[in-house]
């Protein structure tokens, strides 16, 4: 298994968590983002993935783009240490939580959207910061309402073992703690509790941005 | 099966296509959007779904939010007339196409984002129109590159039977043809061809916004 990734990409972060939770060996291929001057690699990479986005998984000729599709593919082809529960209703809840983050929060705060807001719409840095904080806060309000009231929530998003939903939750909460967002998690106690529980897992710390080979050296 | 839907919601539209492709009977419960003055129903509905978004599926006590999670749940619990192929690599491609639309295109053009751009960022109508056109065009470029070059593309997004990817493609292309977007599909010939093929299916026409009980009467 080969993973095209970037240390700072939160969608790559999701897949790295999944790979480590499933204890799968993988080759890490760093892809530099455009902002890092990665144009040449960008051109080569866009041949592989017309979406021009990391993560991309290559598995013996099979090419999978999109973090959720990658995690589902890994779970179907390597059923050990599953990321999804067995029961259809449980699976639906886990996917719904992951999609809430993947479709409603993260797309509004990714790099290409921020670049467009800054260049085409001339958004000032302070307004950009407010934009980020707004969408993450709205998203976490709904996530907290669901996680906080449900009997299915355990130590993790669904029960007492990490699932695909936690693969999505960790990178999103980590984003909310960046200096240019800096949300106070006290407003979302269940979200914060699960995030802290995940950070206790060695599979999650191995997947952290700072642990990747293409991360910049610590200052 | 009960579907909370709104005639104009493109995520509801995806699920309606899936329900009709699978020939499942369902009860249609219209949820008025806030812009339609649906506040009271909104409050009741947010008890059911903290995400406060349609579609929501209720199935004998099981409650599923998020269109992709709903379609996966229906396919797992009613395996007849599958929306996903059998093979893991094929399933990954179908999911990847659906997620490209669901995570990278539609989230930037939905109602709550447009409302925020208009109110908080004071975006003028012409700039709003450019925003819409920009993200759909960028998204369709990648979609066309993938669909146009792949041997797996058939009469539909994946082979010669409609899948979950087509459930996502149809509403997104329909959005691009709204008067306030009005993109010329000639730039994306494969996307357009598949869209036209889908519109030939009675399962798709039954799911069209204008065919829903809560659609406004024709002018």
């Amino acid at each position: 298994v080969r993973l095209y990734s970037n240390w700072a990409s939160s969608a790559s972060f999701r897949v790295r968590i999944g790979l480590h939770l499933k204890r799968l060996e993988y080759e890490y291929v760093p892809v530099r983002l455009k902002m890092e001057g990665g144009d040449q690699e960008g051109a080569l990479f866009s041949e592989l993935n017309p979406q021009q986005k990391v993560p991309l998984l290559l598995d013996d000729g099979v090419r999978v783009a999109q973090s959720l599709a990658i995690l589902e593919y890994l779970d179907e082809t390597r059923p050990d240490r599953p990321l999804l529960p067995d029961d259809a209703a449980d699976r639906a809840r886990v996917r719904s939580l992951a999609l809430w983050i993947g479709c409603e929060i993260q797309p509004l705060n990714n790099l290409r959207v921020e670049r467009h807001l800054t260049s085409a719409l001339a958004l000032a840095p302070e307004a950009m910061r407010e934009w980020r904080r707004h969408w993450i806060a709205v998203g976490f309000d709904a996530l907290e309402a669901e996680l906080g009231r449900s009997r299915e929530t355990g130590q993790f998003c669904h029960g007492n073992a990490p699932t695909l939903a936690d693969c999505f939750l960790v990178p999103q909460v980590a984003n909310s703690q960046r200096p240019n967002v800096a949300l106070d998690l006290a407003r979302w106690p269940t979200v914060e509790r699960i995030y802290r529980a995940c950070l206790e897992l060695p599979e999650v710390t191995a997947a952290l941005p700072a642990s990747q080979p293409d991360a910049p050296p610590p200052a």
Side-chain angles (χ1 to χ4, degrees), chain A:
Chain A
V1 178
R2 180 184 291 174
L3 180 69
Y4 292 83
S5 168
N6 180 279
W7 70 281
S9 145
S10 68
S12 299
F13 189 2
R14 295 171 190 159
V15 175
R16 295 193 305 254
I17 297 174
L19 283 162
H20 284 281
L21 286 172
K22 293 184 77 65
R23 312 239 175 121
L24 297 172
E25 298 280 325
Y26 65 99
E27 179 191 354
Y28 186 98
V29 183
V31 177
R32 285 195 299 165
L33 306 179
K34 272 188 193 129
M35 67 177 299
E36 299 172 312
D39 285 342
Q40 198 192 352
E41 282 155 274
L44 285 171
F45 183 64
S46 81
E47 264 302 294
L48 269 176
N49 185 11
Q51 300 184 6
Q52 295 180 277
K53 298 197 80 180
V54 287
L56 180 79
L57 189 87
L58 272 191
D59 178 34
D60 201 17
V62 176
R63 182 176 56 85
V64 188
Q66 288 291 327
S67 57
L68 182 57
I70 294 172
L71 292 167
E72 296 260 7
Y73 172 80
L74 290 171
D75 230 31
E76 288 182 350
T77 54
R78 281 87 170 169
D80 276 359
R81 308 181 193 274
L83 298 174
L84 281 166
D86 282 339
D87 178 72
D90 293 329
R91 295 163 72 83
R93 181 170 179 271
V94 169
R95 288 189 177 115
S96 175
L97 290 166
L99 288 162
W100 175 252
I101 296 167
C103 294
E104 314 285 347
I105 307 179
Q106 207 276 331
L108 298 167
N109 293 281
N110 72 18
L111 203 57
R112 65 191 189 117
V113 173
E114 296 205 352
R115 208 154 39 202
H116 186 78
L117 285 166
T118 307
S119 60
L121 299 184
L123 213 61
E126 189 48 38
M128 191 67 248
R129 180 181 139 93
E130 278 315 306
W131 169 272
R132 272 184 216 114
R133 289 169 59 90
H134 172 77
W135 292 115
I136 298 179
V138 167
F140 282 2
D141 285 348
L143 201 57
E144 178 66 31
E146 175 64 40
L147 290 171
R149 75 176 191 172
S150 168
R151 261 177 272 170
E152 285 138 335
T153 307
Q155 195 187 344
F156 298 101
C157 286
H158 195 85
N160 292 319
T163 63
L164 204 149
D166 303 288
C167 296
F168 276 67
L169 179 133
V170 171
Q172 188 61 63
V173 179
N175 278 354
S176 78
Q177 299 306 294
R178 288 182 181 171
N180 61 8
V181 188
L183 286 168
D184 182 351
L185 294 178
R187 178 166 153 191
W188 307 287
T190 316
V191 172
E192 178 172 22
R193 174 179 66 70
I194 294 171
Y195 176 62
R196 304 272 171 232
C198 289
L199 289 183
E200 297 290 315
L201 302 174
E203 294 89 346
V204 172
T205 53
L208 286 171
S211 313
Q212 305 316 306
D214 56 336

